[in-house]
Amino acid sequence: MEEVKNVGFGGATVGTEPFQFHPKDKLLIKAHIGFAFVALGVGALAGVLQTLQRTGVIDLPTSLGYYQLLTLHGVSLALVFTTFFIIGFLFSGVAKTAGGELSVRERMWGWIGFWLMLGGTLLALIAIGTNDASVLYTFYAPMQASPLFYTGLAGLVVGSWSSSVTIFSAFRRWRRAHPGESSPLFAYMAVATMILWDICTIGVALEVVVQLIPWSLGWVERVDVSLSRTLFWYFGHALVYFWLLPAYIYWYVNVPRLIKGKIFSNSLPRLTFILFILYSIPVGLHHQFNEPGVDSFWKFVQTVLTFFVVIPSFMTAFSILATFELAGRSQGGKGLFGWITKLPYKDVRFLAPFLGMLLFVPGGIGGIINASYQLNQVVHNTLWVTGHFHLTLGSSVVLTFFGISYMLIPVLTGRKLTRAVNYLGILQSFVWVIGMAFMSGGMHAVGLLGEPRRISYTTYGDAPITQAWLPYRQAIALGGGILFTAIILFLIIAIYLWLFAPKAEQVNEYPIGEVDADQQKPPYFLERWSIWIGVAVGLILFAYTAPFVQMFIHPAPGALPMRTW
């Protein structure tokens, strides 16, 4: 392996020579990122078609169903694109900071995970393609899909568990080689992300394997809908943080290097990620406020726990802003806000995630509204929720993934992010923001006017109320078209960087920030994963034991399968 040295308190392990990925690590990372882009293209095409149908702009051919496209859009983007991209990104940072490369065994687990996820995805896509799985990405029972769909998604989850072994193993190997030292911040955060993922996916795995697959095969006649949805939302809310945490890793660890600054704190980010593990899972019942079968007291308890998630979110905002201010002042920023002008807005690797940070503010406020028991009653079954979902995933997460791609692809391919491509990426990022403003803004507004979600285009027999929805529907259609244009532009740039951009004269740097020299070494208890996993399990048992016991003592009669499409 490459000779390495540790900089700061585990902020970065960097080579004494310009860092390059081992060719076998590079292949593993490129496989994940490349397939993620394929899923992005498929999901975006399905998304724009269903958006235009949903807003009355086009009529789909009879061979193509609205809910079929909606399922393809959700599965491709919310489950497949995100999972492959996140694991590829985490592999890159772990390989870089935990010794310079993955071991042979770690690569083996990574490839097992890749092929399981790929095989599972293809099975699910076959079922969607034959219109036997138009059950949306939430695959809500009693709508019943083909066994292929459920089996495929189970394969996707199991494959991701294998990938987590790679990350845990690399982290453990580094710890054994560096006793008494603080772990590299990137690797630490990657471990936290996969711990959260492994714990939360237990719920959806139980739902799919124990309930939905036997039911879809006809081995059992009925399905307990309350139990099914509770298991899904045990997973479903934490899924949002599985998307967010890699974006936070980029903000915390990679961006400081890009802005020529230092990581503000080595302890605060670690505590933040631990709090996300604790607070993001035992909160799923706030997605089920309007469903019977769950005691209101436990919905209230999980609502309170939901608001605890605000704490690590504010800690992240504080830490990132402090990093930005220190970087700006170190480069001559004067006065109260002079440091803001020193940030590198002309570097798309920074600008894209920065725009995502700005859009995350209204997204977070919308989340607080959704989690409020009374306000949720107003917006729950409306397009407001769809708009919030897109603003959260499509802004802070996707814009950061754009920035990561513009950083990572040149590192992997040895090609140059030219000035022209950099500016094209900036243009693409702004196009995305404009599209999201139209689409998500329109969804929020028309949701407040009462337009339902999870339904195809209708004027309800030309009811007068739908006339008020028309301008917002037009805004949603316009926004969807702009977002699709931005995705196409992004994929063109990605392909160019991957295959056609000029070769770089020097090795492209994989940016890893260093911790500010004034910061103290993080306390050792932050490295004790067994403690935090135990606390997380305790909170989950507290929040979910009574609702599940209630469902088993007073089980629902069960629902027969439905095919609504």
Side-chain angles (χ1 to χ4, degrees), residues 105-418:
R105 180 170 296 182
E106 290 155 5
R107 289 188 199 111
M108 179 194 72
W109 282 109
W111 279 113
I112 290 173
F114 175 81
W115 289 113
L116 281 173
M117 291 196 299
L118 180 62
T121 298
L122 294 178
L123 285 180
L125 291 180
I126 289 172
I128 296 172
T130 57
N131 200 21
D132 290 317
S134 298
V135 294
L136 315 187
Y137 99 95
T138 51
F139 38 95
Y140 258 19
M143 293 192 297
Q144 188 186 71
S146 159
L148 281 182
F149 179 75
Y150 299 127
T151 305
L153 293 180
L156 179 67
V157 170
V158 173
S160 69
W161 289 349
S162 176
S163 302
S164 68
V165 174
T166 300
I167 293 170
F168 296 155
S169 174
F171 184 80
R172 185 181 182 188
R173 171 171 52 77
W174 190 95
R175 289 289 303 274
R176 286 182 170 177
H178 301 80
E181 294 185 32
S182 299
S183 57
L185 188 55
F186 191 112
Y188 181 93
M189 291 174 150
V191 168
T193 303
M194 296 313 292
I195 287 175
L196 182 149
W197 174 252
D198 288 352
I199 294 176
C200 79
T201 47
I202 291 173
V204 75
L206 286 173
E207 179 196 9
V208 170
V209 174
V210 177
Q211 283 193 292
L212 300 185
I213 290 178
W215 178 59
S216 65
L217 288 169
W219 297 346
V220 294
E221 185 182 32
R222 296 173 181 268
V223 64
D224 186 329
V225 174
S226 291
L227 178 61
S228 168
R229 294 184 180 183
T230 303
L231 286 170
F232 180 85
W233 286 116
Y234 167 91
F235 151 81
H237 187 77
L239 172 65
V240 175
Y241 292 95
F242 176 66
W243 301 329
L244 277 172
L245 293 192
Y248 286 177
I249 293 175
Y250 189 70
W251 299 357
Y252 270 116
V253 182
N254 302 99
V255 165
R257 180 72 171 181
L258 295 174
I259 64 175
K260 300 177 182 176
K262 303 282 187 181
I263 298 173
F264 169 69
S265 169
N266 199 10
S267 301
L268 194 63
R270 297 171 196 264
L271 178 59
T272 300
F273 271 53
I274 286 172
L275 293 179
F276 277 123
I277 292 174
L278 301 185
Y279 296 144
S280 62
I281 299 174
V283 297
L285 290 184
H286 80 256
H287 289 264
Q288 297 173 266
F289 283 153
N290 288 335
E291 291 187 17
V294 180
D295 192 299
S296 296
F297 172 77
W298 292 105
K299 291 179 180 178
F300 171 75
V301 167
Q302 295 207 18
T303 299
V304 174
L305 289 172
T306 302
F307 283 100
F308 277 100
V309 182
V310 172
I311 297 172
S313 299
F314 280 152
M315 290 167 63
T316 297
F318 170 78
S319 185
I320 298 299
L321 285 175
T323 297
F324 287 179
E325 181 176 355
L326 289 175
R329 295 199 183 282
S330 71
Q331 295 167 56
K334 304 293 184 185
L336 190 58
F337 298 112
W339 54 273
I340 296 176
T341 63
K342 300 298 180 180
L343 298 177
Y345 302 107
K346 293 182 180 179
D347 185 342
V348 69
R349 300 172 301 171
F350 167 75
L351 180 74
F354 179 75
L355 293 173
M357 295 174 199
L358 296 180
L359 285 182
F360 190 52
V361 175
I365 294 172
I368 293 173
I369 292 172
N370 294 345
S372 302
Y373 211 136
Q374 291 85 355
L375 291 177
N376 186 278
Q377 306 305 307
V378 178
V379 299
H380 184 80
N381 280 318
T382 73
L383 269 180
W384 165 284
V385 173
T386 313
H388 165 73
F389 180 84
H390 282 84
L391 189 59
T392 305
L393 174 59
S395 58
S396 53
V397 174
V398 174
L399 278 165
T400 301
F401 287 4
F402 289 156
I404 292 172
S405 301
Y406 293 135
M407 176 277 291
L408 185 57
I409 297 175
V411 174
L412 292 171
T413 62
R415 297 183 183 276
K416 185 185 297 183
L417 179 66
T418 63

Side-chain angles (χ1 to χ4, degrees), residues 22-35:
H22 188 286
K24 292 183 178 179
D25 293 343
K26 191 183 297 184
L27 182 63
L28 181 62
I29 298 164
K30 289 169 76 174
H32 284 80
I33 300 295
F35 189 74

